[in-house]
Amino acid sequence: TGSGDKIISAISSDDDATLFLSGAGSGKDTHIVFGGDRDLFISKSSSATATSEGTPVLTLGSNSNATFAGGIDTEGNFINIGNGQGHSENYLQIGHSRTGNGFAYIDLVGDTTYTDFGLRIIRGNTGANATSTIEHKGTGNFSLKTTQAASLILQTSNTTALTLDSSQNASFAGRVVIGDDAITTVKPQLIVGDTTNGGKLTIRGLSPTLSFDKTGSNNPKILTDGGLLEIKSGHLDAEGSVLMSLTGSAGNATFAGN
């Protein structure tokens, strides 16, 4: 007690130095208590003496936060954040208070083949507009799953772009493009584009049907871009013979039979 520094010193020149605390009696706890509004430092130094404090490796703050000077390597199999909390926020921050650009990521290792990571969530190191990636290794499925009847929603520019609802229906806010797309219109549509081989749309089933469901007085349309419209006898892999052709500019119809 009293004023001035108070020091407990255990110094060995050729062996370990140990501070041993044990509660007296069965069921008794052991406590290290630091009072007031000050921090507790656990420090290290290659030339430590009873009067040199060394460099803190662990700081237990008066606000109950712990700060480590290096990494944390635990042999335990879990870390709880916010255990028993009520309405307080609970969070994990990686890269807090950065002073420069750098990678930030979480690696999951669940096998002995991909010992670095099997799944990685990573933020790039190129600044404010860096890429963010979820990377999955191996040939097993990479699944996004909702256990209850929730929808999966993908957003771009803070706006919903794709919704997969609980009935497995897909709703797109914009166009659906398959292959090459040289069309600049923004009207809702399905675009099947292949500027080299020709785009194809296949309707498959026991009795495939192409149906136009009108919602107004205008007529359904098939646009030929000024060319012929041909109906052929073939299938997806072989087009077959022309059964009927419609001339787009003149409006004449030509039939292969009677």
Side-chain angles (χ1 to χ4, degrees):
T1 60
S3 62
D5 294 339
K6 301 297 180 288
I7 299 172
I8 299 177
S9 178
I11 300 176
S12 174
S13 61
D14 59 359
D15 208 341
D16 295 336
T18 303
L19 175 63
F20 179 76
L21 303 175
S22 178
S26 176
K28 299 298 183 179
D29 296 327
T30 300
H31 301 268
I32 297 177
V33 181
F34 60 107
D37 58 352
R38 308 298 295 274
D39 298 337
L40 172 67
F41 300 96
I42 298 178
S43 305
K44 66 174 294 185
S45 173
S46 59
S47 59
T49 66
T51 58
S52 66
E53 296 178 350
T55 302
V57 295
L58 170 60
T59 303
L60 301 178
S62 58
N63 55 3
S64 300
N65 293 333
T67 302
F68 292 84
I72 302 175
D73 191 356
T74 173
E75 294 183 359
N77 60 357
F78 68 92
I79 297 176
N80 285 330
I81 299 176
N83 187 27
Q85 288 282 347
H87 298 289
S88 300
E89 294 183 1
N90 300 292
Y91 52 88
L92 174 66
Q93 288 186 329
I94 299 176
H96 179 62
S97 298
R98 274 195 181 276
T99 58
N101 299 329
F103 289 107
Y105 52 90
I106 298 174
D107 285 347
L108 303 182
V109 180
D111 58 82
T112 57
T113 299
Y114 302 109
T115 55
D116 185 17
F117 69 90
L119 180 70
R120 169 175 285 180
I121 303 173
I122 184 169
R123 174 69 174 179
N125 66 341
T126 56
N129 296 314
T131 59
S132 299
T133 304
I134 301 177
E135 182 177 349
H136 165 76
K137 289 184 177 179
T139 58
N141 293 335
F142 177 64
S143 301
L144 296 177
K145 180 176 73 172
T146 64
T147 302
Q148 277 72 42
S151 297
L152 283 177
I153 298 176
L154 297 180
Q155 293 189 331
T156 60
S157 298
N158 204 32
T159 302
T160 298
L162 167 63
T163 300
L164 301 175
D165 66 21
S166 58
S167 298
Q168 290 74 56
N169 298 317
S171 300
F172 294 85
R175 298 178 298 166
V176 178
V177 179
I178 303 174
D180 299 329
D181 176 22
I183 301 175
T184 58
T185 179
V186 295
K187 294 180 179 179
Q189 56 191 297
L190 172 65
I191 300 172
V192 182
D194 188 336
T195 57
T196 302
N197 301 304
K200 294 183 179 181
L201 177 64
T202 300
I203 303 175
R204 187 172 184 268
L206 293 176
S207 181
T209 302
L210 177 61
S211 175
F212 297 92
D213 186 10
K214 291 175 51 178
T215 59
S217 59
N218 294 329
N219 293 322
K221 301 174 180 67
I222 298 177
L223 307 178
T224 65
D225 199 17
L228 292 175
L229 175 64
E230 296 179 334
I231 298 178
K232 293 187 173 183
S233 61
H235 49 79
L236 181 62
D237 297 319
E239 294 184 353
S241 302
V242 176
L243 301 177
M244 182 185 72
S245 64
L246 298 174
T247 304
S249 58
N252 298 324
T254 303
F255 295 88
N258 296 323

